[in-house]
Amino acid sequence: MICKYRAGAMLALGCALLDAATAAEGDAALASVTVLGHYDNAIGTTDAASQGTVTANLIANRPALRTGELLEFVPGMIVTQHSGDGKANQYFLRGFNLDHGTDFATWVDGVPVNMRSNAHGQGYSDLNFLIPELVQRIDYKKGSYFADEGDFSSAGAAHIRLSDQLKQGIASLTMGSYGYQRGVLADSFAAADGTLLYGLELSRNNGPWQTPEQVRKYSATLRYSHGDAQDGYSITAMAYRNRWNATDQVPLRAVQSGLINRFGGIDPSDGGNTARTSLAWNMHRRDSDRITEASAYLLHSSLDLYSNFTYLLNDPVNGDQFQQSERRTVGGASASQAWLSQIGGIDMRNKLGVETRYDHIAPIGLYATAARQRLSTVREDRVDEASLGLYAENTSYWTPSLRSIAGLRYDAYRFKVNDDRASAHKFSPKLSLILGPWRDTEYFINYGAGFHSNDARGVTGPAPAPPLVGTRGAELGVRSSWLPGLQSSFSLWTLDIDSELVYAGDSGQTEASRASRRTGVEWSNHYIAAPWLLFDLDLSASRARYRDSDPAGNYVPEALNKVASFGVTVKDIGRWFGGLELRYFGQRPLIEDNSIRSAATTLAYGRIGYQLSHRTRLTLDGFNLFNRRASDIDYLYTSRLAGESAEGVSDVHFHPVEPRTLRLTLSHNF
């Protein structure tokens, strides 16, 4: 049987096809790992050293300032914000300033989060609709080596899985600094031969800003699930609405001159509102010789952003504020089937899959505004974008300690902007070799081509940009559990991209630039020192350069260089529990010649909690514990303040991290 080669992986991917009882044992083993270690044991279960799973226990035991910081559980990921807390976060990983999600694909139970041809930025990924208490696990991958990952996944992908059932109901209330309030109510119960789960979240926040954010956020989830691990399905409905004021990045000179303080803004009418509703269906069926999975979804979203990054540079009378607006409906589906076979005495696992997606965006517009009132229409379009992805993957088990994974993906796109049309297609080959395990250590060689799509408005018309921008990546990695309780992985990687997307302050969007190359190294460690004590240490460094030389310089602006994070989680010390996190976000070049760089940012988060009773606990979370005066983000571009010359001033524009912030949560299980 194939299981003798790779019991852990085949338990998740193949052994369930052969023996339902074996699968049940695997579920029990996974539960044990979840309870004791927060991380799944990855030996024999992954296809790259930089792939892994984070379980709900760790998510619940670490404080998060924002919902989007869920993605910081991906080793090496940095999540920041340069605007109000209703806007998608800013993401950094593997030498990329990913902007709001380009080149990192995010999914929630089979529904894509990345919004292509978005009003604000390509691949816009807003996770604020998610209720963290309902997350069951996060499966992450880094690199372009996986046939089942398509658009936006060159740097990596995260699949966030929701729970079908809660062990206990949850009622929690949080009060914090600067007017922060949050309430959550969630539970699950038997209904119609299945399980019905609901979750509700309501939050308010003003933040430390001179212009209060006045965040008003509402999230709701309703999920029905039926069946078991062998044969089942779920139907999930989600709804979300948010409105806020924004203090965007501000020019350093305005703070240094005393015009504003660190938490002040230039245009107090910046901000926005957004909404999202979705309905998703997922099914799985596992029998004696195959696994079949399918999903379908329909979502509707709206977004209105009001931003003023250059102030009086372009319009000295009314100011430079603009509105980015869209109304979007998205439908999509996917299906895959995996089965076991044997050719010439070689055991194999084969997989075929198909994905389709259609976006209808009408209208999508850019408007000149003043104090959120429209003055003129810069551009307004009707966009239709359709895609089809097909993939095939073969895993061959040559010996008990050698397997190969060969995959091929084909993607086809059609773009329509008003009456202009374009189309494109791309093949993406993948190949991996995995050796081991020997003494609880595995070795990985990975290669893969990938891509990201460009905004439909840029690929149609008289001077079109490339519709699909190709990437090529490779990785050498090792993963080991040689020490009981320790999971450690190390990887060397490289990634080429045919067209860099860089932030342009005058438009508030990313714009296509030159081809680039990134190389880097990552080292991740998770150590269970005792049942009550967990340590995490993640280190990464990368180098990003344009591939074609230019006198202006070859550094990629905003490219992430160094990241380090260290965490300690403590539980069951009598009635006490807690943790500490340190996060280092390294310097970045702000201009191609590297003459101006951002400052590094080091932050500390902490938690201390007390179990009042078996079902009730009190938790105090602290953010930026040392009250560092640091930046969430830095940009270099030209803006003009009142009284300055018409050509404006090139300056660093920064968004400060929030000062020391405390939040007290009372939670009760029922």
Side-chain angles (χ1 to χ4, degrees):
M1 289 179 60
I2 298 176
C3 298
K4 70 181 181 182
Y5 293 160
R6 188 183 172 214
M10 297 311 295
L11 186 62
L13 302 173
C15 285
L17 302 175
L18 304 176
D19 192 333
T22 303
E25 291 172 6
D27 291 340
L30 178 59
S32 174
V33 171
T34 300
V35 169
L36 293 179
H38 305 295
Y39 287 91
D40 291 350
N41 188 342
I43 295 296
T45 67
T46 64
D47 300 326
S50 54
Q51 180 182 2
T53 294
V54 181
T55 67
N57 272 6
L58 184 58
I59 295 170
N61 285 321
R62 291 283 176 86
L65 184 66
R66 309 178 180 98
T67 304
E69 289 181 4
L70 281 170
L71 290 183
E72 285 200 349
F73 287 105
V74 178
M77 175 74 85
I78 293 291
V79 178
T80 69
Q81 182 59 272
H82 75 98
S83 186
D85 280 332
K87 188 176 179 180
N89 292 102
Q90 196 90 7
Y91 306 105
F92 295 82
L93 179 72
R94 284 202 160 185
F96 279 94
N97 174 358
L98 296 163
D99 193 47
H100 297 292
T102 308
D103 292 306
F104 189 85
T106 307
W107 301 75
V108 175
D109 262 9
V111 180
V113 181
N114 301 74
M115 294 291 106
R116 54 198 192 184
S117 301
N118 180 261
H120 182 69
Q122 182 68 344
Y124 186 85
S125 295
D126 182 3
L127 277 170
N128 285 301
F129 67 90
L130 197 60
I131 302 175
E133 286 83 352
L134 303 185
V135 174
Q136 190 252 343
R137 71 180 193 273
I138 301 173
D139 299 322
Y140 65 86
K141 309 171 184 176
K142 287 185 275 186
S144 54
Y145 326 124
F146 308 94
D148 56 350
E149 304 293 348
D151 202 0
F152 305 122
S153 64
S154 293
H159 292 259
I160 300 173
R161 319 286 183 175
L162 300 181
S163 298
D164 288 331
Q165 183 177 0
L166 300 177
K167 293 181 180 179
Q168 295 176 309
I170 302 169
S172 71
L173 179 64
T174 302
M175 306 292 288
S177 307
Y178 311 111
Y180 183 86
Q181 304 170 45
R182 180 176 184 260
V184 174
L185 181 66
D187 197 10
S188 61
F189 52 88
D193 295 324
T195 302
L196 189 66
L197 178 147
Y198 69 86
L200 301 169
E201 177 188 356
L202 172 65
S203 63
R204 302 283 187 266
N205 191 25
N206 287 327
W209 318 107
Q210 193 173 39
T211 300
E213 272 196 301
Q214 294 185 330
V215 171
R216 299 294 182 265
K217 174 183 172 181
Y218 310 87
S219 296
T221 298
L222 185 65
R223 180 179 178 90
Y224 175 78
S225 58
H226 181 274
D228 54 25
Q230 301 304 310
D231 189 353
Y233 67 89
S234 66
I235 300 173
T236 306
M238 306 182 78
Y240 161 71
R241 183 175 294 276
N242 200 345
R243 57 185 174 88
W244 68 96
N245 298 322
T247 298
D248 292 318
Q249 66 265 18
V250 294
L252 182 61
R253 65 187 186 278
V255 177
Q256 292 176 335
S257 68
L259 177 65
I260 59 173
N261 64 34
R262 284 179 56 82
F263 304 105
I266 303 299
D267 191 336
S269 64
D270 288 350
N273 57 79
T274 188
R276 182 187 190 276
T277 56
S278 65
L279 183 65
W281 167 81
N282 286 274
M283 66 80 66
H284 61 271
R285 180 172 296 124
R286 302 175 181 178
D287 53 35
S288 59
D289 60 357
R290 64 191 61 237
I291 298 176
T292 302
E293 297 178 314
S295 66
Y297 59 87
L298 181 68
L299 72 87
H300 179 77
S301 66
S302 63
L303 176 67
D304 290 286
L305 286 176
Y306 299 88
S307 308
N308 187 349
F309 300 127
T310 53
Y311 319 121
L312 299 169
L313 182 65
N314 301 313
D315 186 342
V317 176
N318 298 302
D320 295 350
Q321 190 186 72
F322 55 88
Q323 177 191 6
Q324 295 166 311
S325 178
E326 69 166 55
R327 302 293 181 268
R328 177 189 301 259
T329 301
V330 184
S334 65
S336 67
Q337 190 166 92
W339 68 97
L340 303 180
S341 65
Q342 189 177 82
I343 298 178
I346 304 299
D347 291 313
M348 297 181 178
R349 183 179 65 86
N350 308 289
K351 186 176 183 180
L352 293 176
V354 58
E355 299 171 354
T356 184
R357 173 176 170 176
Y358 178 79
D359 290 60
H360 173 70
I361 320 166
I364 177 171
L366 177 64
Y367 310 93
T369 59
R372 302 198 189 188
Q373 300 300 309
R374 288 187 185 178
L375 303 176
S376 62
T377 298
V378 178
R379 177 169 183 170
E380 187 175 87
D381 299 288
R382 176 189 179 100
V383 173
D384 294 279
E385 184 171 344
S387 65
L388 174 68
L390 304 171
Y391 62 89
E393 187 178 77
N394 168 268
T395 303
S396 297
Y397 299 85
W398 302 94
T399 73
S401 56
L402 173 64
R403 67 185 187 273
S404 64
I405 305 172
L408 180 64
R409 184 181 180 93
Y410 171 77
D411 289 275
Y413 277 67
R414 289 188 179 274
F415 307 88
K416 181 183 177 184
V417 180
N418 304 321
D419 294 325
D420 295 325
R421 301 171 186 266
S423 61
H425 64 91
K426 190 170 186 60
F427 286 95
S428 303
K430 324 278 185 174
L431 180 63
S432 296
L433 297 175
I434 300 95
L435 295 88
W438 296 300
R439 296 183 179 179
D440 294 320
T441 301
E442 282 185 301
Y443 302 87
F444 303 85
I445 304 172
N446 305 100
Y447 168 82
F451 72 97
H452 72 240
S453 62
N454 270 334
D455 193 304
R457 294 167 293 176
V459 305
T460 57
L468 305 179
V469 176
T471 60
R472 295 156 301 281
E475 183 173 318
L476 298 175
V478 59
R479 183 189 300 276
S480 181
S481 295
W482 63 272
L483 180 68
L486 173 68
Q487 295 185 48
S488 184
S489 65
F490 180 85
S491 59
L492 299 169
W493 60 269
T494 182
L495 180 67
D496 285 0
I497 185 167
D498 290 340
S499 178
E500 187 75 29
L501 290 178
V502 295
Y503 180 82
D506 57 349
S507 66
Q509 292 181 307
T510 54
E511 296 179 355
S513 183
R514 293 178 278 161
S516 63
R517 171 170 294 162
R518 286 169 171 79
T519 56
V521 57
E522 295 175 329
W523 185 36
S524 297
N525 301 272
H526 314 297
Y527 180 50
I528 308 167
W532 53 271
L533 181 61
L534 171 69
F535 293 97
D536 294 287
L537 175 64
D538 298 315
L539 304 173
S540 64
S542 58
R543 180 182 186 272
R545 299 290 188 273
Y546 289 116
R547 296 208 308 267
D548 54 334
S549 184
D550 189 291
N554 296 325
Y555 287 79
V556 179
E558 295 295 328
L560 182 65
N561 187 352
K562 295 181 179 66
V563 173
S565 64
F566 173 73
V568 182
T569 302
V570 177
K571 63 176 185 175
D572 300 331
I573 306 298
R575 293 192 173 191
W576 294 94
F577 58 91
L580 177 69
E581 291 179 72
L582 294 174
R583 189 197 77 174
Y584 173 81
F585 181 23
Q587 293 183 328
R588 284 101 49 216
L590 300 182
I591 191 170
E592 287 86 345
D593 65 5
N594 197 35
S595 59
I596 302 176
R597 296 175 62 82
S598 73
T601 298
T602 303
L603 297 178
Y605 289 4
R607 166 173 289 183
I608 185 169
Y610 185 77
Q611 198 78 33
L612 297 172
S613 69
H614 180 65
R615 294 179 178 269
T616 306
R617 65 179 186 173
L618 193 64
T619 304
L620 178 65
D621 292 334
F623 305 93
N624 191 9
L625 292 176
F626 303 124
N627 207 26
R628 297 292 300 272
R629 292 169 60 90
S631 296
D632 253 343
I633 189 70
D634 298 281
Y635 299 112
L636 178 69
Y637 59 86
T638 299
S639 63
R640 182 189 182 198
L641 301 171
E644 293 181 336
S645 60
E647 64 272 16
V649 177
S650 178
D651 195 7
V652 172
H653 296 70
F654 75 101
H655 190 265
V657 300
E658 297 190 19
R660 184 185 295 114
T661 299
L662 301 177
R663 294 177 183 173
L664 184 66
T665 300
L666 178 66
S667 58
H668 177 74
N669 295 117
F670 56 91

